[in-house]
């Protein structure tokens, strides 16, 4: 598969007279893919049933005639104003019970049957008209499920659907639900499924099993909504279907949505994320303000490669300042090229810049594009063209199995959110801390879902924080032949969020029991003997496994037996570096201590080096200027 570039274009934003010139310039810049249509419902159907597809026919034709390939989006993220009159109760409802309103986007509830039918209808109309269009070479369903906190809705439609969902989960037995949840506590027992409300507006915290079940249900609603569109598209087209996921949006199970699609894609905004999603301290934010976090994009590249079962794209790449973060600096010269190449180094098939031309109107007028509003080139254009020239010489994308794997599980994220046990403790951050430690050690990582049972080719597998650890995964890891690292909180809850008996982690072949857990204030780290500390979360470990990390007070923090390690604390960076070094030594993996902000990644045929800092750096691959990169072909 050749690596390609693209952009996101909104023909409906511009006079038709300039479409051909835009298309000519896109092709000249070396772009291949043009994503269109995902917000255009109001122009496709200005009033109910009044279909106006002629302009889209012409836009696709103009792009196709210029040699470009179209990614056509279904426009369901932006229902037009008339939809709200037709379905006044279609809005998602927030946890305070307030319906969200019209005037931006994503104002629909995934459970609303009327809106689902409208989504199916517009998808079918588009599929019938463009499914065999030779210029439409891929489709995108909707846009960024979950964006603007829209996965979970406390609507009447959601409540009814949730009750039915629970009834199926418990085979119609309310007694089983009461027993599994432990509803005798506070007299919360139900006698019928239709008595079960949504876990909001309770006097104090709602029942954690109820909260987790509602999160699982809400995720399933996204999967079903997406599947409804995919089934229609599949009847009319053979080209791949994608969805564009986001950075650190975890409210639905992306592996499940991805299971219905050929390609995973995600929208990468490194500078915006650093400001509002990475969770970094002020010094780190300042140091990387124009480059973005050195690991955050890479983590998502690896995650979405797993979601796409190997096939993934960047559907939207930040080309300059964005509009939506607390501060929106411009990238350091060279970063747009670096971000593009970093995606390719992690196996991307395509990188598309958002957006072609900066819009002079509406919410995103402060968001850069490849072109300025006056159609002159913005600074990113030259970098995109440079990448296009470089790509012409680069090898094709080849699959590769990294010897190091890290499990990321959406259900575990929801479990931690349901009961974090300490302010600010998040599963995403725990996994990301492990990922960063692996990257500091110069390792390339594959992220895997918790449904993985085949670990062939892996030398080291990290599985931190899997609060619900299915028996099949425990067994598969124990016999995988890889060095395995579990914990903290692995196996801490059963499938319905109760503490299991025997006590966690109950791992085959590893004699350790978590006897007590405590969460720690951020200002009370517990130092480890030999360097590093436990922060945030600490368990008391009992059992006969050998101790490999202890507190200065000699309490066991990490223990090992055979090829399994259990770590019962959330380690700081120094502690994690020690844990990774020890695990790599027993796995027979070479570690490299990379300089600050220098990262490397290998593919089947190449090794890439990236300088994420704003100064010159000496790296194991030689000198790299700020935002510099090097691609080495492997023997
Ligand atoms: C994405 C979204 C785009 C645009 C962009 C701005 O989240 O998919 O439509 O809003 O952000 O950065």
């Amino acid at each position: 598969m050749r690596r390609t570039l693209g952009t996101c274009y909104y023909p409906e934003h511009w006079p038709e007279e300039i479409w051909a010139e835009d298309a000519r310039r896109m092709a000249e810049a070396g772009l291949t893919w043009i994503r269109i249509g995902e917000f255009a419902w109001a122009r496709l159907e200005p009033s109910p049933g009044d279909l106006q597809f002629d302009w889209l026919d012409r836009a696709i034709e103009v792009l196709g005639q210029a040699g470009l390939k179209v990614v056509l989006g279904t426009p369901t993220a932006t229902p037009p104003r008339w939809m709200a009159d037709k379905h006044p109760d279609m809005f998602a409802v927030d946890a305070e019970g307030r319906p969200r309103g019209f005037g931006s986007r994503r104002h629909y509830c995934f459970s609303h049957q009327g809106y689902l039918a409208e989504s199916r209808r517009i998808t079918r109309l588009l599929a019938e008209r463009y499914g065999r269009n030779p210029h439409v070479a891929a489709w995108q369903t909707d846009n960024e499920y979950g964006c603007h906190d829209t996965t979970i809705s406390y609507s009447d439609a959601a409540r009814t659907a949730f009750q039915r969902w629970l009834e199926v989960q418990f085979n119609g037995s309310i007694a089983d639900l009461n027993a599994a949840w432990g509803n005798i506590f506070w007299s919360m027992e139900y006698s019928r499924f239709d008595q079960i409300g949504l876990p909001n507006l309770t006097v104090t915290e709602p029942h954690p099993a109820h909260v987790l079940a509602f999160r699982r249900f809400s995720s399933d609603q996204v999967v079903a909504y997406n599947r409804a569109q995919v089934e229609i598209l599949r009847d009319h087209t053979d080209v791949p279907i994608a969805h564009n996921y986001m950075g650190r949006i975890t409210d639905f199970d992306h592996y499940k949505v991805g299971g219905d699609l050929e390609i995973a894609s995600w929208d990468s905004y490194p500078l915006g994320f650093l400001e509002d999603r990475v969770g970094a301290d002020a010094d780190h934010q300042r140091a990387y303000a124009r480059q973005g976090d050195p690991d955050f994009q890479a983590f998502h590249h690896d995650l979405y490669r797993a979601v796409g079962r190997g096939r993934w794209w960047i559907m939207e790449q930040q080309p300059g300042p964005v509009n939506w973060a607390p501060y929106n600096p411009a990238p350091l010269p060279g970063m747009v090229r670096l971000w593009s190449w970093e995606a390719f180094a992690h196996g991307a098939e395509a990188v598309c810049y958002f957006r072609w031309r900066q819009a002079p109107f509406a919410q995103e007028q402060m968001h850069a594009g490849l072109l300025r509003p006056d159609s002159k080139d913005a600074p990113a254009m030259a970098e995109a063209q440079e990448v296009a020239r470089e790509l012409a010489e680069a090898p094709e994308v080849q699959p590769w199995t990294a010897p190091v794997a890290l499990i990321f599980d959406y259900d575990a994220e929801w479990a931690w959110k349901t009961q974090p046990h300490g302010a600010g403790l998040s599963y995403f951050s725990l996994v990301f801390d492990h990922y960063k430690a692996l990257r500091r050690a110069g390792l390339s990582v594959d992220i895997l879902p918790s449904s993985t049972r085949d670990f062939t080719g892996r030398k080291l597998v990290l599985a931190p924080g899997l609060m619900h650890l299915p028996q099949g995964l425990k067994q598969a890891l124990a016999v995988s032949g890889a060095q395995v690292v579990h914990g903290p909180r692995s196996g801490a809850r059963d499938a319905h969020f109760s503490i299991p008996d025997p006590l966690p982690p109950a791992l085959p072949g590893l004699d350790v029991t978590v006897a007590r857990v405590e969460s720690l204030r951020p200002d009370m780290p517990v130092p480890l003997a030999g360097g590093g500390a436990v922060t945030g979360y600490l368990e008391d470990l009992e059992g006969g496994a050998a101790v490999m990390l202890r507190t200065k007070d000699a309490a066991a923090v990490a223990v090992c037996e055979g090829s399994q390690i259990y770590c019962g604390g959330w380690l700081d960076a120094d502690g994690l570096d020690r844990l990774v070094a020890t695990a790599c030594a027993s796995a027979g993996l070479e570690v490299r201590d990379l300089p600050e902000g220098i990262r490397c990644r290998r593919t089947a045929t190449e090794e890439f080096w990236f300088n994420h800092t704003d100064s010159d750096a000496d790296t194991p691959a030689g000198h790299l200027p700020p935002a510099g990169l090097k691609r080495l072909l492997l023997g």
Side-chain angles (χ1 to χ4, degrees), residues 326-337:
Y327 304 98
N328 297 289
L332 201 67
M335 282 316 291
V336 172
R337 171 175 170 256

mmCIF file with all atom_site columns, all heavy atoms in Angstrom, residues 326-337:
data_model
loop_
_atom_site.group_PDB
_atom_site.id
_atom_site.type_symbol
_atom_site.label_atom_id
_atom_site.label_alt_id
_atom_site.label_comp_id
_atom_site.label_asym_id
_atom_site.label_entity_id
_atom_site.label_seq_id
_atom_site.pdbx_PDB_ins_code
_atom_site.Cartn_x
_atom_site.Cartn_y
_atom_site.Cartn_z
_atom_site.occupancy
_atom_site.B_iso_or_equiv
_atom_site.pdbx_formal_charge
_atom_site.auth_seq_id
_atom_site.auth_comp_id
_atom_site.auth_asym_id
_atom_site.auth_atom_id
_atom_site.pdbx_PDB_model_num
ATOM 1  N N   . PRO A 1 326 ? -7.120 26.102 25.108 1.00 0.00 ? 326 PRO A N   1
ATOM 2  C CA  . PRO A 1 326 ? -6.990 27.332 25.903 1.00 0.00 ? 326 PRO A CA  1
ATOM 3  C C   . PRO A 1 326 ? -6.020 28.332 25.268 1.00 0.00 ? 326 PRO A C   1
ATOM 4  O O   . PRO A 1 326 ? -6.257 29.537 25.293 1.00 0.00 ? 326 PRO A O   1
ATOM 5  C CB  . PRO A 1 326 ? -6.454 26.834 27.241 1.00 0.00 ? 326 PRO A CB  1
ATOM 6  C CG  . PRO A 1 326 ? -6.862 25.406 27.331 1.00 0.00 ? 326 PRO A CG  1
ATOM 7  C CD  . PRO A 1 326 ? -6.918 24.886 25.926 1.00 0.00 ? 326 PRO A CD  1
ATOM 8  N N   . TYR A 1 327 ? -4.903 27.832 24.729 1.00 0.00 ? 327 TYR A N   1
ATOM 9  C CA  . TYR A 1 327 ? -3.963 28.672 23.965 1.00 0.00 ? 327 TYR A CA  1
ATOM 10 C C   . TYR A 1 327 ? -3.682 27.926 22.668 1.00 0.00 ? 327 TYR A C   1
ATOM 11 O O   . TYR A 1 327 ? -3.642 26.699 22.657 1.00 0.00 ? 327 TYR A O   1
ATOM 12 C CB  . TYR A 1 327 ? -2.666 28.901 24.730 1.00 0.00 ? 327 TYR A CB  1
ATOM 13 C CG  . TYR A 1 327 ? -2.910 29.493 26.092 1.00 0.00 ? 327 TYR A CG  1
ATOM 14 C CD1 . TYR A 1 327 ? -2.946 28.683 27.216 1.00 0.00 ? 327 TYR A CD1 1
ATOM 15 C CD2 . TYR A 1 327 ? -3.163 30.850 26.241 1.00 0.00 ? 327 TYR A CD2 1
ATOM 16 C CE1 . TYR A 1 327 ? -3.232 29.207 28.464 1.00 0.00 ? 327 TYR A CE1 1
ATOM 17 C CE2 . TYR A 1 327 ? -3.443 31.386 27.485 1.00 0.00 ? 327 TYR A CE2 1
ATOM 18 C CZ  . TYR A 1 327 ? -3.481 30.569 28.593 1.00 0.00 ? 327 TYR A CZ  1
ATOM 19 O OH  . TYR A 1 327 ? -3.771 31.090 29.824 1.00 0.00 ? 327 TYR A OH  1
ATOM 20 N N   . ASN A 1 328 ? -3.450 28.690 21.591 1.00 0.00 ? 328 ASN A N   1
ATOM 21 C CA  . ASN A 1 328 ? -3.348 28.044 20.281 1.00 0.00 ? 328 ASN A CA  1
ATOM 22 C C   . ASN A 1 328 ? -2.137 28.535 19.501 1.00 0.00 ? 328 ASN A C   1
ATOM 23 O O   . ASN A 1 328 ? -2.270 29.272 18.519 1.00 0.00 ? 328 ASN A O   1
ATOM 24 C CB  . ASN A 1 328 ? -4.643 28.280 19.502 1.00 0.00 ? 328 ASN A CB  1
ATOM 25 C CG  . ASN A 1 328 ? -5.828 27.630 20.198 1.00 0.00 ? 328 ASN A CG  1
ATOM 26 O OD1 . ASN A 1 328 ? -5.960 26.418 20.225 1.00 0.00 ? 328 ASN A OD1 1
ATOM 27 N ND2 . ASN A 1 328 ? -6.683 28.447 20.806 1.00 0.00 ? 328 ASN A ND2 1
ATOM 28 N N   . PRO A 1 329 ? -0.940 28.154 19.958 1.00 0.00 ? 329 PRO A N   1
ATOM 29 C CA  . PRO A 1 329 ? 0.259  28.607 19.260 1.00 0.00 ? 329 PRO A CA  1
ATOM 30 C C   . PRO A 1 329 ? 0.409  27.974 17.875 1.00 0.00 ? 329 PRO A C   1
ATOM 31 O O   . PRO A 1 329 ? -0.246 26.984 17.568 1.00 0.00 ? 329 PRO A O   1
ATOM 32 C CB  . PRO A 1 329 ? 1.404  28.149 20.172 1.00 0.00 ? 329 PRO A CB  1
ATOM 33 C CG  . PRO A 1 329 ? 0.841  27.120 21.054 1.00 0.00 ? 329 PRO A CG  1
ATOM 34 C CD  . PRO A 1 329 ? -0.651 27.291 21.103 1.00 0.00 ? 329 PRO A CD  1
ATOM 35 N N   . ALA A 1 330 ? 1.300  28.582 17.086 1.00 0.00 ? 330 ALA A N   1
ATOM 36 C CA  . ALA A 1 330 ? 1.631  28.020 15.772 1.00 0.00 ? 330 ALA A CA  1
ATOM 37 C C   . ALA A 1 330 ? 2.698  26.947 15.955 1.00 0.00 ? 330 ALA A C   1
ATOM 38 O O   . ALA A 1 330 ? 3.539  27.037 16.852 1.00 0.00 ? 330 ALA A O   1
ATOM 39 C CB  . ALA A 1 330 ? 2.163  29.117 14.853 1.00 0.00 ? 330 ALA A CB  1
ATOM 40 N N   . PRO A 1 331 ? 2.693  25.925 15.109 1.00 0.00 ? 331 PRO A N   1
ATOM 41 C CA  . PRO A 1 331 ? 3.741  24.903 15.213 1.00 0.00 ? 331 PRO A CA  1
ATOM 42 C C   . PRO A 1 331 ? 5.109  25.464 14.847 1.00 0.00 ? 331 PRO A C   1
ATOM 43 O O   . PRO A 1 331 ? 5.214  26.386 14.040 1.00 0.00 ? 331 PRO A O   1
ATOM 44 C CB  . PRO A 1 331 ? 3.328  23.838 14.199 1.00 0.00 ? 331 PRO A CB  1
ATOM 45 C CG  . PRO A 1 331 ? 2.046  24.278 13.590 1.00 0.00 ? 331 PRO A CG  1
ATOM 46 C CD  . PRO A 1 331 ? 1.735  25.660 14.042 1.00 0.00 ? 331 PRO A CD  1
ATOM 47 N N   . LEU A 1 332 ? 6.129  24.887 15.459 1.00 0.00 ? 332 LEU A N   1
ATOM 48 C CA  . LEU A 1 332 ? 7.511  25.181 15.073 1.00 0.00 ? 332 LEU A CA  1
ATOM 49 C C   . LEU A 1 332 ? 7.668  24.805 13.596 1.00 0.00 ? 332 LEU A C   1
ATOM 50 O O   . LEU A 1 332 ? 7.142  23.778 13.166 1.00 0.00 ? 332 LEU A O   1
ATOM 51 C CB  . LEU A 1 332 ? 8.401  24.266 15.909 1.00 0.00 ? 332 LEU A CB  1
ATOM 52 C CG  . LEU A 1 332 ? 9.856  24.607 16.126 1.00 0.00 ? 332 LEU A CG  1
ATOM 53 C CD1 . LEU A 1 332 ? 9.966  25.858 16.977 1.00 0.00 ? 332 LEU A CD1 1
ATOM 54 C CD2 . LEU A 1 332 ? 10.529 23.419 16.847 1.00 0.00 ? 332 LEU A CD2 1
ATOM 55 N N   . PRO A 1 333 ? 8.399  25.612 12.819 1.00 0.00 ? 333 PRO A N   1
ATOM 56 C CA  . PRO A 1 333 ? 8.622  25.200 11.425 1.00 0.00 ? 333 PRO A CA  1
ATOM 57 C C   . PRO A 1 333 ? 9.179  23.772 11.383 1.00 0.00 ? 333 PRO A C   1
ATOM 58 O O   . PRO A 1 333 ? 10.068 23.428 12.155 1.00 0.00 ? 333 PRO A O   1
ATOM 59 C CB  . PRO A 1 333 ? 9.651  26.208 10.918 1.00 0.00 ? 333 PRO A CB  1
ATOM 60 C CG  . PRO A 1 333 ? 9.452  27.404 11.787 1.00 0.00 ? 333 PRO A CG  1
ATOM 61 C CD  . PRO A 1 333 ? 9.041  26.883 13.135 1.00 0.00 ? 333 PRO A CD  1
ATOM 62 N N   . GLY A 1 334 ? 8.623  22.954 10.543 1.00 0.00 ? 334 GLY A N   1
ATOM 63 C CA  . GLY A 1 334 ? 9.072  21.561 10.435 1.00 0.00 ? 334 GLY A CA  1
ATOM 64 C C   . GLY A 1 334 ? 8.164  20.575 11.128 1.00 0.00 ? 334 GLY A C   1
ATOM 65 O O   . GLY A 1 334 ? 8.215  19.370 10.846 1.00 0.00 ? 334 GLY A O   1
ATOM 66 N N   . MET A 1 335 ? 7.313  21.068 12.051 1.00 0.00 ? 335 MET A N   1
ATOM 67 C CA  . MET A 1 335 ? 6.504  20.097 12.812 1.00 0.00 ? 335 MET A CA  1
ATOM 68 C C   . MET A 1 335 ? 5.408  19.464 11.968 1.00 0.00 ? 335 MET A C   1
ATOM 69 O O   . MET A 1 335 ? 5.045  18.305 12.190 1.00 0.00 ? 335 MET A O   1
ATOM 70 C CB  . MET A 1 335 ? 5.882  20.756 14.054 1.00 0.00 ? 335 MET A CB  1
ATOM 71 C CG  . MET A 1 335 ? 6.813  20.944 15.224 1.00 0.00 ? 335 MET A CG  1
ATOM 72 S SD  . MET A 1 335 ? 7.900  19.565 15.671 1.00 0.00 ? 335 MET A SD  1
ATOM 73 C CE  . MET A 1 335 ? 6.776  18.339 16.308 1.00 0.00 ? 335 MET A CE  1
ATOM 74 N N   . VAL A 1 336 ? 4.859  20.195 11.018 1.00 0.00 ? 336 VAL A N   1
ATOM 75 C CA  . VAL A 1 336 ? 3.800  19.588 10.196 1.00 0.00 ? 336 VAL A CA  1
ATOM 76 C C   . VAL A 1 336 ? 4.394  18.420 9.408  1.00 0.00 ? 336 VAL A C   1
ATOM 77 O O   . VAL A 1 336 ? 3.795  17.347 9.283  1.00 0.00 ? 336 VAL A O   1
ATOM 78 C CB  . VAL A 1 336 ? 3.145  20.648 9.283  1.00 0.00 ? 336 VAL A CB  1
ATOM 79 C CG1 . VAL A 1 336 ? 2.197  19.998 8.285  1.00 0.00 ? 336 VAL A CG1 1
ATOM 80 C CG2 . VAL A 1 336 ? 2.397  21.676 10.143 1.00 0.00 ? 336 VAL A CG2 1
ATOM 81 N N   . ARG A 1 337 ? 5.622  18.622 8.946  1.00 0.00 ? 337 ARG A N   1
ATOM 82 C CA  . ARG A 1 337 ? 6.305  17.506 8.253  1.00 0.00 ? 337 ARG A CA  1
ATOM 83 C C   . ARG A 1 337 ? 6.593  16.375 9.237  1.00 0.00 ? 337 ARG A C   1
ATOM 84 O O   . ARG A 1 337 ? 6.355  15.206 8.944  1.00 0.00 ? 337 ARG A O   1
ATOM 85 C CB  . ARG A 1 337 ? 7.604  18.033 7.628  1.00 0.00 ? 337 ARG A CB  1
ATOM 86 C CG  . ARG A 1 337 ? 8.498  16.947 7.073  1.00 0.00 ? 337 ARG A CG  1
ATOM 87 C CD  . ARG A 1 337 ? 9.716  17.545 6.351  1.00 0.00 ? 337 ARG A CD  1
ATOM 88 N NE  . ARG A 1 337 ? 10.687 16.526 6.017  1.00 0.00 ? 337 ARG A NE  1
ATOM 89 C CZ  . ARG A 1 337 ? 11.841 16.327 6.665  1.00 0.00 ? 337 ARG A CZ  1
ATOM 90 N NH1 . ARG A 1 337 ? 12.166 17.096 7.707  1.00 0.00 ? 337 ARG A NH1 1
ATOM 91 N NH2 . ARG A 1 337 ? 12.666 15.371 6.295  1.00 0.00 ? 337 ARG A NH2 1
#
